[in-house]
Amino acid sequence: MMANTEIWLESLITKTPQEGRALAILMARKTIGAIQTDPEKRKQLRPEYAEDTVQLISSAQVVAIEFQTIAKANKYWRDEK
């Protein structure tokens, strides 16, 4: 299998916390895509986790961890005025 060499994450720096959260969601989605590389399999599994609150909460925890990393990189969007 050939590794994907596409550079999609050039920086963790974002202008706002909302942009940081969107980046955290993107990072989580990219991680799932890297782990389960078959898009049809991901599509097949989606109904299972869509109805499973434990899996949904686990997904939210992954996004929260990614957001913590981004927030730290952005020094918690310190006011630079």
Side-chain angles (χ1 to χ4, degrees), residues 4-11 30:
N4 185 350
T5 59
E6 170 194 6
I7 297 175
W8 61 268
L9 182 61
E10 295 193 11
S11 176
K30 290 284 193 176

Short mmCIF file of all heavy atoms in Angstrom, two decimals, residues 4-11 30:
data_model
loop_
_atom_site.label_atom_id
_atom_site.label_comp_id
_atom_site.label_asym_id
_atom_site.label_seq_id
_atom_site.Cartn_x
_atom_site.Cartn_y
_atom_site.Cartn_z
N ASN A 4 -0.37 7.97 1.59
CA ASN A 4 -0.90 9.21 1.03
C ASN A 4 0.06 10.34 1.39
O ASN A 4 0.32 10.61 2.55
CB ASN A 4 -2.29 9.48 1.61
CG ASN A 4 -2.95 10.69 0.99
OD1 ASN A 4 -2.33 11.45 0.25
ND2 ASN A 4 -4.22 10.85 1.27
N THR A 5 0.58 11.00 0.36
CA THR A 5 1.55 12.08 0.60
C THR A 5 0.93 13.46 0.49
O THR A 5 1.64 14.45 0.55
CB THR A 5 2.72 11.95 -0.39
OG1 THR A 5 2.20 12.03 -1.72
CG2 THR A 5 3.46 10.65 -0.19
N GLU A 6 -0.40 13.52 0.36
CA GLU A 6 -1.09 14.81 0.28
C GLU A 6 -0.88 15.57 1.59
O GLU A 6 -1.08 15.03 2.68
CB GLU A 6 -2.59 14.59 0.07
CG GLU A 6 -3.40 15.85 0.21
CD GLU A 6 -4.89 15.57 0.33
OE1 GLU A 6 -5.30 14.41 0.41
OE2 GLU A 6 -5.64 16.55 0.35
N ILE A 7 -0.44 16.81 1.49
CA ILE A 7 -0.28 17.65 2.68
C ILE A 7 -1.57 18.46 2.84
O ILE A 7 -1.86 19.35 2.06
CB ILE A 7 0.94 18.57 2.57
CG1 ILE A 7 2.20 17.72 2.49
CG2 ILE A 7 1.00 19.53 3.75
CD1 ILE A 7 3.46 18.50 2.24
N TRP A 8 -2.34 18.11 3.83
CA TRP A 8 -3.60 18.82 4.08
C TRP A 8 -3.56 19.61 5.38
O TRP A 8 -4.40 20.45 5.63
CB TRP A 8 -4.78 17.83 4.10
CG TRP A 8 -4.66 16.80 5.17
CD1 TRP A 8 -4.08 15.56 5.04
CD2 TRP A 8 -5.09 16.90 6.52
NE1 TRP A 8 -4.13 14.90 6.23
CE2 TRP A 8 -4.75 15.69 7.16
CE3 TRP A 8 -5.74 17.89 7.26
CZ2 TRP A 8 -5.04 15.45 8.49
CZ3 TRP A 8 -6.02 17.65 8.59
CH2 TRP A 8 -5.68 16.44 9.19
N LEU A 9 -2.55 19.37 6.20
CA LEU A 9 -2.43 20.08 7.47
C LEU A 9 -1.11 20.84 7.48
O LEU A 9 -0.07 20.32 7.83
CB LEU A 9 -2.47 19.08 8.64
CG LEU A 9 -2.40 19.69 10.04
CD1 LEU A 9 -3.58 20.61 10.28
CD2 LEU A 9 -2.36 18.59 11.08
N GLU A 10 -1.19 22.09 7.05
CA GLU A 10 0.02 22.90 6.99
C GLU A 10 0.31 23.62 8.29
O GLU A 10 1.44 24.02 8.54
CB GLU A 10 -0.09 23.88 5.83
CG GLU A 10 -0.13 23.16 4.49
CD GLU A 10 0.08 24.07 3.31
OE1 GLU A 10 0.46 25.23 3.50
OE2 GLU A 10 -0.13 23.59 2.19
N SER A 11 -0.73 23.78 9.12
CA SER A 11 -0.53 24.49 10.37
C SER A 11 -1.69 24.19 11.33
O SER A 11 -2.80 23.90 10.89
CB SER A 11 -0.48 26.00 10.11
OG SER A 11 -0.38 26.71 11.32
N LYS A 30 -9.99 12.87 9.14
CA LYS A 30 -8.83 12.40 8.38
C LYS A 30 -8.20 11.20 9.08
O LYS A 30 -7.71 10.28 8.42
CB LYS A 30 -7.79 13.52 8.23
CG LYS A 30 -8.21 14.63 7.30
CD LYS A 30 -8.09 14.18 5.86
CE LYS A 30 -8.19 15.35 4.91
NZ LYS A 30 -7.97 14.94 3.52
#
